[in-house]
Amino acid sequence: MLHIKCPHCGMRSQNEFSYGGDASVKRPELNKEISDQDWDNFVYNRKSLRGKHIEFWQHLSGCRQWIKVERDTATHEIFKTLKANEDF
Amino acid sequence: MKQNFRLDNIGLINRDKKLSFKFNGKSYSGYEGDTLASALLANGVHLIGRSFKYHRPRGFFGAGVDEPYAIVQLYRNNETEPNVKSTEQELFEGLEATSVNCWPSVNFDIGAINNFLKVFLPAGFYYKTFMWPKSFWYKFYEPIIRKAAGLGVASIKHDKERYEHKYEYCDLLIAGSGPSGLASAYAAAKNGARIILAEDKPRFGGTLLTSEVNIGNQTGKEWVKNIIAELKKMPNVTVKNRSQVFGYYDHNMLVMLEKISDHLPKTRKYHPKQRLWYIRAKEVLISSGSIERPLVFGNNDTPGVMLSSAAKEYLKVYGVLVGKKPLIFTNNDSGYEAAIEFKKNGVEPVILDTRKEPNSEIIEEAKNLGIQIKFSYVVVAAKGYKKVNAAEIAKISDNKNELGVLENIICDCICVSGFWTPTIHLASQSGNKTKFDKDIDAFVPGISKQNETTLGAANGTFTLAETLKDSFNAGYELSKKITKNDNKISYPKVVEKNKTTHDKFWCVPLPKGKTYKRFLDFQNDVAVSDIEIALKEGYRSIEHVKRYTTLGMATDQGKTSNLNGLQLVSNIENKIVPEVGHTTFRPPYTPVTIGAIVGREVGKYSRPTRKSPIHSWHEKNNAVFVDAGVWLRPRYYKIGEETLFEGSKREAKNVRANVGVCDVTTLGKIDIKGPDAAELLNRVYTNAWLKLPVGKARYGVMLREDGIVMDDGTTTRISENHYHMTTTTAQAANVLSHLEYYLQLVWPELNVNVVSSTEQWAGAAIAGPKSRDLLQKLFPNIDSSNDGLPFMGYLEGELFGVQARIFRISFSGELAYEVNVNSDNGNFMWEKIMEIGKEFEIQPYGTEALSTLRIEMGHVAGSELDGRTISYDNGLEGLISKKKDFIGKRSLNRKAFIAEDRQKVVGVVPLDKKTSIPEGSHLVKDAYAQLPNPKLGYISASCWSVEHDNPFSLAILKDGKNMIGQKLFVMSPLKNITIPVEIVSSHYVDPKGERVRS
Ligand SMILES: [Zn+2]
């Protein structure tokens, strides 16, 4: 079980969190033209990296804040966690 | 019965407390402090079971967790547990155990015929031997293997014992209470660290209980006793025996199994049987010691052949002689320790040492005691079938290839020592890159990945002085890092006998003309010849060799066999061991009961049960409940002997005819506030929300980004910047997370707050033609007319002094209202509705009637919004705004979503108007077409239409738009049902929706 540092609450166990996917993916702006390919990439296509990965987690059973986590997908090492409005 | 192999004046058992127990139906006695193994050995019982493959007789090989043979079926307090290691099971009064793997009995075992057929059971026997001839498998091989193989029998009864989970944090977790564990724990505790010291055995001290050493002018045993006593008094220390740390997971999370009651005849009241600890440690000290390696020779699996360390432990801890004429076979100094103990207790051992001229203090001592020692000698084979009665021995050449003349020596046990294998499981599980130490011919921990440090024998350090020095330092340094304290204690002076190097020789060659089986894996019957065959057949990777031969795959996970297996592969392959590598160590280190893993989450505790505040009223009024997500909801209110079908029909009819009331508290509710609330709704729902007036509700559908419908519900504008959203019962939590995701991550500029208010409100749906009259009586001060409270209108009112929210919304398709009050007043509201409703012939209705009403109305719900359908499929395309963008809109252009013959919801009626249609059935054009018969759609929901008094179903049907009026067939191959049906509109009742607006 991972140990994740919520930037709002501190170190908590993984079972308080839920995973929210690749945090490097930005939702396209509303009301803007977008090609089929770009939309597909946003909805479906992920890199599935081996190594450092920036991802969203929600502190579901805690402060309910969505946070950013920099994690190694192979070793599970967590390098850094940030609030939603902070950037790496 | 007399314990013929028990000595009077040695051991740590309590001779004042005699215990009686049964093994295979026969009564024996032992003492408090015995294990089942030591008590059986005290009674001279060596035959305990049969081996897995050849059903050869099995005795005891070890004295603890490494035991490969002596597993039993345990009976305790009318329960039974399979595969219990008798070397770990503590004796209690009335214990009963039986052998496993024996049929019909341990002394006469039909499966032992495999032993004589063993030429047919080589490596990979599962994969090839029984495959030919093919037709024999089901009729002949399979039933016999099923009967003969397998270990214990799992109980099929509900386990009434209680198992607990506990979460703990500490500065240092120390796994193992041998010299390294105690020293590091003591140093760290004295330096103020919060520590947990875990010992898997009942007694603390590990090897210090059996070794002849002196620490700070005390014997090892005394030193252990004093340290433990002092640690137990310290507030920052938790000391646990019978507690095995069996898994090392990510981020320094370790899991430990504490056996609280297994050693008692019966679990004490209010006590759990076992407790599983999840421990998050800042630092982990692995002091798990080492396990003695076997030597490999002919018939080395005969009962009576055991590890010399085990023989020593049985003697020094339990006062039990494993034999009265022991033969010690060793390639290192450790065997001498057992021999010396035998000698001191009046038994004459003979030592066979594979080495030519070793010299050390301990060998000198053995010589001085007059023990007979034969250097450059090996055991070629054990003699005896159910018990060792002699050994074939021979001199071995210096190059270890040639055997001298075979000699016979009488003995009743053979104690073997092939040197020591560090227990690196925990370190390896943590991700440590282990390395091969050629001085000890074993793997030791290398570079740590997590915060783990391995000490003592587990780290390949076999002298006590060095171990204590390292461990005191590690305990001090690691605690200092965490506590910043600097209280260093000096370590004591150690007296121990020096030892010399071991012999790398471990596998005795077969004499010419002999075909003795030489076993590597004792539990799975893997012999040297099996590994040879596997390699001959081309298996190279050690992981493949393991799986093909089953080496190290039994319940002991190869604790005694793995390293010898590796040695053999590397010898044959002419490689060095590190090139062969070792198989992966995976948790758990020892078998863990399913009960402990599941903990308290069984039966109704497996998830929370949520009840509405009106629950007790439902109970009192004969509600039959159903699980709806985590909620318990009334399915119908049973009158007399009514069936579900009858009761729900009655309730639904009454809604259509008079008025019904349904508890809708479980609906998800989200309170939304802020100046940008309307904008959020406009982005989340497919329809327009910016112009919804205060005091009005609107139905909305939300999509995922991939265009699939996520949920639906109504949202009401309570005031200028305040909305009340409802979701389906099942999706409530997901919808809240979904909103939070967009508000926090995607559109943080929106000034909106959302919070779940599901539990704050109790809800009652009042539905039926008489609902307006009832509402007016409940709220005399509101204008309940169609103008005063129109369809999708909202009012606030007072229900006999209780503040209430009134929504004119309908799920049943009838004129209906939903009344919400503060949860605490839910029951009051319900009782008032029932009381006032009496004159309107009100009846409560449950989820079954609710479903009937919504299905015949053609209202889609969870069974249609199943995570695979889009708005169009559900007839909700009219709610898709063309003017604005929203979540998932861009996906709606996908080819499949706009296909001409796209699936759509339809109604289905059986032609005979009688036959009920099972949900999940398929729709096909031709019931008699050749298979595979193309499937056009599926039945999503079925009911008995109370309006038309015949069966009616909803279906998701290909090209549903153009299928109305078509005749198709419903097929349910599982139930062998074929029903001719007609496709009709999904709106089977009031298709124009006039009633809800009346
Ligand atoms: Zn938090």
Side-chain angles (χ1 to χ4, degrees):
Chain A
M1 207 187 309
L2 306 185
H3 214 201
I4 302 170
K5 185 176 177 182
C6 171
H8 308 280
C9 310
M11 293 301 281
R12 299 298 177 97
S13 270
Q14 184 186 344
N15 51 5
E16 294 188 11
F17 294 84
S18 77
Y19 180 69
D22 188 339
S24 68
V25 176
K26 252 193 111 64
R27 192 197 188 279
E29 273 181 57
L30 289 165
N31 300 307
K32 261 212 172 145
E33 284 278 307
I34 178 169
S35 70
D36 284 352
Q37 188 57 54
D38 287 348
W39 183 257
D40 274 358
N41 284 341
F42 159 63
V43 177
Y44 298 107
N45 299 330
R46 296 291 180 270
K47 287 193 195 94
S48 194
L49 287 174
R50 186 183 197 280
K52 264 193 192 180
H53 189 233
I54 297 173
E55 49 205 28
F56 288 128
W57 289 74
Q58 187 182 17
H59 194 191
L60 207 63
S61 311
C63 62
R64 294 203 64 90
Q65 292 301 301
W66 284 91
I67 61 168
K68 291 177 189 167
V69 176
E70 189 183 28
R71 182 180 68 104
D72 189 306
T73 57
T75 64
H76 291 313
E77 185 177 352
I78 291 176
F79 306 98
K80 207 173 179 189
T81 57
L82 291 175
K83 295 177 182 170
N85 60 2
E86 294 173 331
D87 284 314
F88 283 95
Chain B
M1 181 177 263
K2 195 155 169 10
Q3 301 175 34
N4 279 325
F5 290 80
R6 183 88 69 180
L7 299 174
D8 290 334
N9 47 7
I10 183 170
L12 308 174
I13 43 163
N14 179 10
R15 285 186 177 75
D16 296 333
K17 189 138 187 227
K18 212 169 182 178
L19 301 173
S20 55
F21 68 101
K22 276 186 183 169
F23 179 64
N24 284 337
K26 211 170 155 191
S27 295
Y28 300 96
S29 65
Y31 294 116
E32 186 179 79
D34 260 326
T35 59
L36 175 58
S38 67
L40 283 169
L41 286 167
N43 287 280
V45 178
H46 278 258
L47 178 62
I48 188 155
R50 293 277 172 166
S51 71
F52 187 67
K53 197 160 93 185
Y54 301 129
H55 285 239
R56 287 161 70 105
R58 283 290 177 255
F60 301 92
F61 194 71
V65 66
D66 49 315
E67 176 61 39
Y69 299 150
I71 56 174
V72 296
Q73 183 84 24
L74 185 76
Y75 299 86
R76 171 182 174 274
N77 191 27
N78 299 320
E79 299 283 345
T80 182
E81 194 179 325
N83 305 343
V84 172
K85 287 190 181 91
S86 61
T87 52
E88 289 192 293
Q89 177 61 49
E90 290 172 67
L91 198 65
F92 53 78
E93 178 60 34
L95 181 150
E96 287 186 40
T98 57
S99 299
V100 298
N101 256 345
C102 309
W103 174 61
S105 82
V106 68
N107 273 302
F108 175 73
D109 185 309
I110 286 179
I113 203 157
N114 287 353
N115 191 20
F116 303 106
L117 293 176
K118 65 190 164 212
V119 285
F120 299 117
L121 300 177
F125 79 109
Y126 287 114
Y127 307 110
K128 52 192 183 192
T129 308
F130 296 119
M131 300 313 281
W132 182 91
K134 222 173 176 178
S135 62
F136 265 45
W137 175 252
Y138 296 106
K139 288 182 214 143
F140 184 68
Y141 296 131
E142 208 249 359
I144 288 195
I145 290 174
R146 282 217 180 277
K147 184 129 199 166
L151 299 170
V153 185
S155 171
I156 56 167
K157 284 198 296 182
H158 168 64
D159 186 352
K160 292 191 191 70
E161 296 277 1
R162 205 166 63 147
Y163 301 85
E164 282 182 354
H165 284 182
K166 183 179 167 72
Y167 291 81
E168 192 55 274
Y169 291 79
C170 64
D171 293 334
L172 261 73
L173 170 66
I174 298 145
S177 76
S180 53
L182 285 177
S184 53
Y186 191 65
K190 283 286 185 189
N191 203 25
R194 264 184 74 195
I195 67 164
I196 297 174
L197 173 64
E199 167 60 44
D200 68 315
K201 292 200 166 187
R203 295 176 187 83
F204 297 97
T207 53
L208 290 175
L209 296 178
T210 55
S211 55
E212 291 297 306
V213 292
N214 191 295
I215 306 171
N217 287 326
Q218 301 173 80
T219 65
K221 257 188 317 202
E222 286 163 355
W223 188 74
V224 171
K225 204 174 143 196
N226 292 332
I227 293 268
I228 288 290
E230 201 173 338
L231 285 174
K232 278 185 171 169
K233 277 189 214 137
M234 297 174 74
N236 52 329
V237 178
T238 304
V239 175
K240 284 281 162 195
N241 60 340
R242 303 187 174 101
S243 297
Q244 178 86 60
V245 179
F246 66 77
Y248 199 139
Y249 300 88
D250 290 306
H251 296 185
N252 290 299
M253 158 73 81
L254 291 98
V255 186
M256 172 173 97
L257 178 68
E258 182 188 7
K259 292 188 174 175
I260 293 169
S261 311
D262 291 72
H263 65 294
L264 302 170
K266 192 175 157 184
T267 306
R268 274 183 295 228
K269 206 172 178 188
Y270 308 123
H271 280 229
K273 186 179 185 205
Q274 298 176 346
R275 182 179 289 137
L276 200 68
W277 294 58
Y278 292 93
I279 302 169
R280 191 77 75 171
K282 289 199 181 115
E283 295 285 340
V284 179
L285 288 169
I286 300 169
S287 45
S288 46
S290 57
I291 292 172
E292 204 169 23
R293 283 201 288 273
L295 290 170
V296 176
F297 51 89
N299 299 330
N300 56 334
D301 63 331
T302 311
V305 177
M306 70 168 66
L307 294 172
S308 81
S309 55
K312 191 173 73 169
E313 187 168 335
Y314 285 120
L315 185 51
K316 297 206 75 174
V317 176
Y318 305 102
V320 170
L321 287 171
V322 298
K324 292 181 179 174
K325 229 178 151 14
L327 181 65
I328 313 287
F329 179 27
T330 187
N331 72 357
N332 69 97
D333 285 5
S334 297
Y336 287 78
E337 291 177 9
I340 289 167
E341 293 302 331
F342 275 120
K343 178 78 182 177
K344 282 186 187 164
N345 284 283
V347 171
E348 292 294 335
V350 176
I351 299 175
L352 304 190
D353 193 328
T354 63
R355 297 172 293 183
K356 199 178 175 191
E357 282 160 346
N359 220 319
S360 69
E361 278 177 23
I362 194 156
I363 295 171
E364 273 316 297
E365 187 187 357
K367 282 180 182 165
N368 291 340
L369 282 167
I371 296 173
Q372 191 190 346
I373 307 168
K374 289 168 170 281
F375 293 109
S376 292
Y377 254 83
V378 296
V379 174
V380 175
K383 298 270 182 188
Y385 181 56
K386 287 180 194 166
K387 173 78 196 293
V388 170
N389 55 27
E392 201 168 69
I393 64 172
K395 203 161 174 88
I396 190 152
S397 62
D398 290 354
N399 65 11
K400 311 287 188 195
N401 287 334
E402 313 289 330
L403 291 172
V405 183
L406 298 183
E407 305 164 34
N408 218 49
I409 183 169
I410 302 295
C411 60
D412 62 357
C413 67
I414 302 173
C415 305
V416 297
S417 178
F419 207 51
W420 296 87
T421 305
T423 305
I424 56 167
H425 297 63
L426 285 178
S428 177
Q429 287 171 20
S430 81
N432 189 301
K433 291 258 175 295
T434 58
K435 59 178 192 225
F436 191 74
D437 181 341
K438 27 183 222 318
D439 289 340
I440 62 168
D441 291 327
F443 286 92
V444 291
I447 301 154
S448 301
K449 192 187 120 190
Q450 302 196 45
N451 298 351
E452 112 278 350
T453 309
T454 305
L455 296 165
N459 197 32
T461 306
F462 294 115
T463 70
L464 182 61
E466 211 181 326
T467 292
L468 289 186
K469 195 174 152 212
D470 292 350
S471 305
F472 271 106
N473 279 338
Y476 163 74
E477 293 292 346
L478 290 172
S479 58
K480 186 177 162 193
K481 207 167 86 182
I482 298 164
T483 64
K484 315 280 182 239
N485 293 343
D486 196 10
N487 181 17
K488 191 172 185 174
I489 49 166
S490 58
Y491 38 85
K493 195 172 170 301
V494 172
V495 182
E496 63 183 319
K497 296 212 172 66
N498 85 3
K499 291 176 183 166
T500 185
T501 50
H502 78 289
D503 190 350
K504 290 181 179 294
F505 173 76
W506 59 277
C507 183
V508 180
L510 282 177
K512 280 197 185 70
K514 301 277 187 186
T515 57
Y516 300 129
K517 278 265 171 199
R518 293 169 298 168
F519 286 96
L520 290 167
D521 184 312
F522 302 107
Q523 195 171 104
N524 268 353
D525 283 356
V526 180
V528 170
S529 51
D530 294 316
I531 302 289
E532 289 168 349
I533 290 170
L535 291 167
K536 236 180 252 171
E537 290 182 1
Y539 289 88
R540 288 294 175 272
S541 154
I542 189 67
E543 297 280 2
H544 291 161
V545 172
K546 166 181 165 171
R547 280 156 186 83
Y548 192 56
T549 61
T550 72
L551 174 80
M553 286 175 68
T555 63
D556 69 331
Q557 289 283 293
K559 290 185 178 61
T560 51
S561 64
N562 280 340
L563 217 71
N564 281 344
L566 286 180
Q567 288 278 10
L568 182 64
V569 171
S570 58
N571 286 356
I572 298 171
E573 291 276 280
N574 259 329
K575 282 182 180 166
I576 48 171
V577 174
E579 279 177 16
V580 176
H582 61 74
T583 54
T584 313
F585 293 100
R586 292 192 181 86
Y589 173 65
T590 50
V592 178
T593 56
I594 299 287
I597 293 168
V598 175
R600 297 282 280 145
E601 291 165 20
V602 288
K604 66 174 177 168
Y605 302 115
S606 57
R607 57 179 186 178
T609 302
R610 299 175 78 181
K611 296 172 183 171
S612 100
I614 310 160
H615 188 82
S616 57
W617 189 95
H618 302 321
E619 276 180 330
K620 274 181 242 155
N621 288 274
N622 293 329
V624 176
F625 290 94
V626 62
D627 288 318
V630 290
W631 293 88
L632 271 184
R633 296 189 72 180
R635 197 167 185 192
Y636 75 113
Y637 299 81
K638 192 171 181 167
I639 297 178
E641 293 304 303
E642 250 178 357
T643 61
L644 170 66
F645 180 70
E646 293 160 353
S648 61
K649 217 159 98 173
R650 167 183 53 75
E651 291 171 3
K653 263 186 179 163
N654 190 60
V655 171
R656 295 265 184 255
N658 301 305
V659 60
V661 58
C662 182
D663 185 352
V664 292
T665 302
T666 63
L667 275 188
K669 303 172 202 78
I670 298 169
D671 209 54
I672 303 175
K673 276 184 180 168
D676 295 322
E679 179 62 27
L680 172 71
L681 296 172
N682 209 44
R683 295 178 183 187
V684 165
Y685 283 130
T686 64
N687 50 348
W689 283 81
L690 295 180
K691 287 176 185 152
L692 181 73
V694 173
K696 281 282 186 186
R698 185 166 283 173
Y699 174 73
V701 175
M702 56 179 80
L703 309 185
R704 312 190 306 221
E705 291 288 16
D706 63 0
I708 299 288
V709 176
M710 179 176 180
D711 198 44
D712 70 340
T714 57
T715 294
T716 306
R717 191 166 190 182
I718 305 289
S719 67
E720 181 63 22
N721 292 328
H722 183 193
Y723 291 79
H724 173 80
M725 175 185 273
T726 66
T727 72
T728 58
T729 302
Q731 290 292 329
N734 291 344
V735 170
L736 183 64
S737 264
H738 180 74
L739 298 180
E740 286 166 337
Y741 180 93
Y742 284 92
L743 284 173
Q744 293 175 25
L745 299 176
V746 184
W747 305 312
E749 68 279 9
L750 292 184
N751 188 356
V752 186
N753 277 300
V754 292
V755 69
S756 165
S757 59
T758 301
E759 263 130 289
Q760 275 61 44
W761 297 101
I766 303 168
K770 296 180 185 168
S771 59
R772 178 175 290 127
D773 298 340
L774 171 58
L775 192 79
Q776 190 65 63
K777 281 216 158 182
L778 289 167
F779 298 93
N781 297 329
I782 63 160
D783 174 6
S784 69
S785 71
N786 211 11
D787 292 334
L789 181 54
F791 180 55
M792 296 309 249
Y794 166 77
L795 281 178
E796 283 165 22
E798 223 177 68
L799 180 91
F800 298 92
V802 170
Q803 278 298 313
R805 289 175 167 182
I806 310 158
F807 307 84
R808 187 169 163 193
I809 53 177
S810 175
F811 191 52
S812 56
E814 292 297 326
L815 170 67
Y817 304 88
E818 207 180 295
V819 183
N820 280 6
V821 295
N822 177 306
S823 285
D824 292 344
N825 293 314
N827 201 53
F828 173 80
M829 165 183 71
W830 188 269
E831 284 180 346
K832 279 291 168 201
I833 292 170
M834 288 305 296
E835 181 193 324
I836 309 289
K838 221 177 231 167
E839 66 171 284
F840 305 107
E841 290 167 86
I842 196 166
Q843 284 182 22
Y845 64 103
T847 56
E848 199 69 18
L850 186 71
S851 291
T852 296
L853 295 166
R854 76 95 186 167
I855 291 168
E856 64 176 3
M857 271 295 158
H859 283 173
V860 290
S863 47
E864 290 78 35
L865 310 177
D866 64 353
R868 296 180 297 176
T869 55
I870 60 172
S871 292
Y872 174 87
D873 306 349
N874 293 292
L876 300 170
E877 66 273 24
L879 294 174
I880 292 177
S881 166
K882 295 207 167 61
K883 292 185 193 135
K884 58 141 195 175
D885 199 359
F886 53 84
I887 293 170
K889 186 176 190 182
R890 181 65 178 77
S891 290
L892 298 179
N893 295 346
R894 286 175 60 190
K895 247 190 205 159
F897 288 177
I898 53 174
E900 264 304 304
D901 59 352
R902 177 76 197 175
Q903 62 180 14
K904 200 171 186 58
V905 66
V906 293
V908 180
V909 178
L911 292 186
D912 68 1
K913 302 264 174 113
K914 275 183 213 145
T915 314
S916 288
I917 300 171
E919 289 175 351
S921 305
H922 291 182
L923 282 156
V924 298
K925 195 162 182 64
D926 176 3
Y928 308 100
Q930 244 190 333
L931 297 175
N933 195 347
K935 174 186 144 185
L936 303 177
Y938 58 94
I939 303 293
S940 59
S942 287
C943 73
W944 187 277
S945 165
V946 289
E947 182 97 357
H948 296 274
D949 202 24
N950 60 253
F952 175 74
S953 297
L954 293 177
I956 304 289
L957 181 63
K958 190 175 178 186
D959 198 19
K961 176 177 68 169
N962 297 315
M963 296 294 277
I964 309 296
Q966 296 262 2
K967 305 255 181 357
L968 297 176
F969 291 91
V970 157
M971 295 191 79
S972 176
L974 276 178
K975 297 182 173 167
N976 201 16
I977 289 175
T978 303
I979 308 165
V981 295
E982 184 182 353
I983 304 304
V984 298
S985 160
S986 60
H987 302 293
Y988 201 40
V989 173
D990 188 24
K992 288 186 187 151
E994 285 164 348
R995 294 181 194 178
V996 294
R997 293 183 172 79
S998 62

